[in-house]
Amino acid sequence: MISDKTPGPFTLRFCKAINAHPDEVSACLWGFGLFFFLFTGYAVLRPVRDAMGIASGLHNLQWLFSSTFIVMLLAVPLYGWLNARVARAQFINWVYGFFSLNMLGFACCLFLWPASLWVARAFFVWLSVFNLFVVSVAWSLMADIFRKEQAGRLFGFIASGASIGGITGPVAGALLVSIVSLPGLMVVSAFLLGGSLLAKSRLMAWRTSQENEEECEARYRPVRGNPFAGFTMVMRSPYLLCLAAFVMLLSTSSTFLYFEQARLVAVTFPSRVEQVRVFSIIDSAVQALSLLCQVVITGRFAHRFGVKGLLTIAPLIITAGFLMLAIWPVFVMVATVMAIRRVSEYAFIRPGREILFTPMPADVKYRAKSFLDTVVYRAGDAVSGWTIAAITAVSQSSVVVSLAGAALAFIWAGTGYFLGGQDDQSFRSEKKST
């Protein structure tokens, strides 16, 4: 690994490229690695989940989204209970270890009952829960480890680990699905999640070396509070309520596009293996574009337009995408708009959202943030899923769904603009030094 103490010419060039200080290089690389392993493991399984969602029946998708929301409601208090008993520095170990065991359990279930619709439905719900929890706790860790000024400079590069993992995962999944089968993919994903824990341990070692004794002791204490503290924090804070509205509108735009994409993929590609390959190709394209944006655009865009720009540009682009989809409702268009939405989320929205949390207290980062990233997000899925079903039942037209999506995306843009402005006002006095 590159030494932070005696930076050479290559290190200095690398620092300049990622906008990091020499003593931050190892942290950037380990943060990058954590997201690389995490998203490679998830991206291997995401096409499988999408294919299983289709296998359970397109008319049942809203039920799957509602089931995911219910499971999330049950899981969040358990998450809060564990958070109050496990040190912040060790919390991610417990969460990732639990989900790794789950993956091995599903591998056994699919090996024994490969054609079971109930296993397919359970896996769809489980992976939807898994995704939000593991990503949320990873970003909670990043918001806890890096200061706000560092986050603005470094989160783009660190998030690019997710994009490279998102490219590697679907490609690996498409190649391996015919060789190791679906249960084998889950075993591979479990091992990759273990790689994330290795990167996390090195990242924590770096943070410890940067802190005084009091800060270190605080990090090795649990985040006190009852299992429902995240909910009460959000309900009592107008700022967090606005952030909840932003997250719900983000989820709504995704769900509107997801339903249309699932419908068109089911018609065009009837085989489950074909569907896995198609979703893998789409995921690879999304992650490649996300990586390009994160490396070349995100940091410079954030420096020029701030958090307000990060949280506003993507919803405006999606508004235009929905309007285009209303004019041309075909698979190529919906896949393009879905890809743009996901690229903009990874390259702009996610870094912008996480920057908002960096100056906040630890209980907000680990409790309120988790509630927003999981329950609120999946509530948006459930509500929008039934809304789409109702619109389709009344109008039988995807054009109406697209126009409704455009209207909600425009409101989403206004919410992002407000949040970005409030962030600038709330934290403008923070020093620009580490």
Side-chain angles (χ1 to χ4, degrees):
M1 180 180 296
I2 297 170
S3 173
D4 292 341
K5 296 181 180 179
T6 56
F10 175 79
T11 303
L12 294 176
R13 285 195 295 270
F14 182 71
C15 289
K16 184 177 180 180
I18 67 172
N19 204 19
H21 299 156
D23 64 337
E24 298 167 341
V25 170
S26 63
C28 289
L29 293 177
W30 286 118
F32 173 96
L34 188 153
F35 279 104
F36 170 77
F37 287 117
L38 177 62
F39 272 78
T40 300
Y42 169 64
V44 164
L45 299 181
R46 179 182 173 121
V48 178
R49 182 203 70 169
D50 294 339
M52 288 186 174
I54 292 173
S56 69
L58 293 176
H59 59 285
N60 290 321
L61 279 178
Q62 65 267 28
W63 289 103
L64 292 178
F65 278 80
S66 297
S67 298
T68 301
F69 174 59
I70 292 171
V71 172
M72 198 71 76
L73 284 176
L74 297 174
V76 165
L78 294 175
Y79 177 96
W81 176 85
L82 182 66
N83 201 239
R85 286 160 177 78
V86 177
R88 283 155 54 194
Q90 302 298 329
F91 182 66
I92 193 171
N93 298 21
W94 286 75
V95 175
Y96 285 16
F98 171 77
F99 280 115
S100 294
L101 292 176
N102 288 178
M103 285 182 190
L104 297 178
F106 270 109
C108 293
C109 289
L110 279 175
F111 180 78
L112 295 173
W113 305 291
S116 171
L117 286 180
W118 286 108
V119 172
R121 290 164 181 164
F123 181 77
F124 182 97
V125 171
W126 174 83
L127 194 67
S128 300
V129 172
F130 159 84
N131 172 38
L132 293 188
F133 269 116
V134 296
V135 175
S136 177
V137 75
W139 278 113
S140 292
L141 179 72
M142 296 301 160
D144 198 14
I145 285 177
F146 294 98
R147 299 180 180 88
K148 186 183 177 187
E149 185 274 334
Q150 291 175 312
R153 289 186 291 106
L154 306 177
F155 275 9
F157 173 76
I158 290 172
S160 69
S163 294
I164 295 180
I167 295 169
T168 306
V171 173
L175 294 174
L176 292 174
V177 67
S178 300
I179 301 173
V180 301
S181 74
L182 297 183
L185 289 183
M186 294 177 188
V187 175
V188 170
S189 184
F191 277 101
L192 288 167
L193 201 56
S196 291
L197 288 178
L198 172 63
K200 171 261 172 186
S201 68
R202 301 309 306 158
L203 189 59
M204 289 300 304
W206 174 84
R207 180 71 271 173
T208 300
S209 70
Q210 306 290 311
E211 294 177 324
N212 57 43
E213 184 176 350
E214 182 179 352
E215 290 173 322
C216 289
E217 290 179 357
R219 200 171 301 280
Y220 282 87
R221 289 196 295 266
V223 180
R224 297 298 180 186
N226 65 69
F228 303 96
F231 169 78
T232 56
M233 287 177 189
V234 172
M235 292 299 105
R236 292 173 180 173
S237 168
Y239 183 78
L240 291 178
L241 279 173
C242 185
L243 189 51
F246 182 87
V247 170
M248 183 165 283
L249 289 165
L250 163 65
S251 171
T252 297
S253 72
S254 178
T255 304
F256 270 57
L257 290 168
Y258 184 85
F259 270 61
E260 187 65 9
Q261 177 181 262
R263 181 184 69 82
L264 292 170
V265 168
V267 171
T268 311
F269 307 98
S271 165
R272 181 183 290 188
V273 172
E274 288 178 345
Q275 292 165 4
V276 170
R277 288 198 179 107
V278 168
F279 285 125
S280 295
I281 291 169
I282 294 173
D283 281 357
S284 297
V286 166
Q287 299 299 341
L289 290 172
S290 298
L291 175 63
L292 179 64
C293 289
Q294 287 161 343
V295 173
V296 178
I297 299 174
T298 301
R300 293 174 175 83
F301 188 90
H303 179 74
R304 175 67 178 83
F305 298 102
V307 178
K308 184 186 294 184
L310 290 173
L311 297 181
T312 306
I313 184 65
L316 291 177
I317 294 173
I318 301 307
T319 302
F322 271 118
L323 294 175
M324 290 297 296
L325 190 57
I327 298 170
W328 193 21
V330 296
F331 173 71
V332 173
M333 179 55 69
V334 74
T336 300
V337 177
M338 186 68 162
I340 291 171
R341 191 213 68 80
R342 288 171 57 195
V343 168
S344 62
E345 179 179 359
Y346 298 148
F348 300 108
I349 296 173
R350 193 86 214 197
R353 279 173 57 199
E354 303 312 326
I355 290 171
L356 296 179
F357 285 100
T358 52
M360 295 184 183
D363 55 350
V364 175
K365 294 174 183 176
Y366 282 90
R367 291 187 177 275
K369 183 180 183 304
S370 173
F371 178 77
L372 292 170
D373 288 347
T374 57
V375 173
V376 173
Y377 193 97
R378 288 309 179 201
D381 281 345
V383 171
S384 54
W386 286 104
T387 301
I388 294 166
I391 292 173
T392 303
V394 172
S395 69
Q396 296 294 321
S397 173
S398 61
V399 174
V400 177
V401 174
S402 297
L403 292 175
L408 291 171
F410 189 74
I411 298 172
W412 177 29
T415 307
Y417 186 86
F418 172 79
L419 280 171
Q422 290 297 304
D423 179 70
D424 292 340
Q425 294 175 21
S426 299
F427 307 113
R428 66 176 58 184
S429 62
E430 183 177 333
K431 293 182 180 179
K432 300 295 183 180
S433 60
T434 59

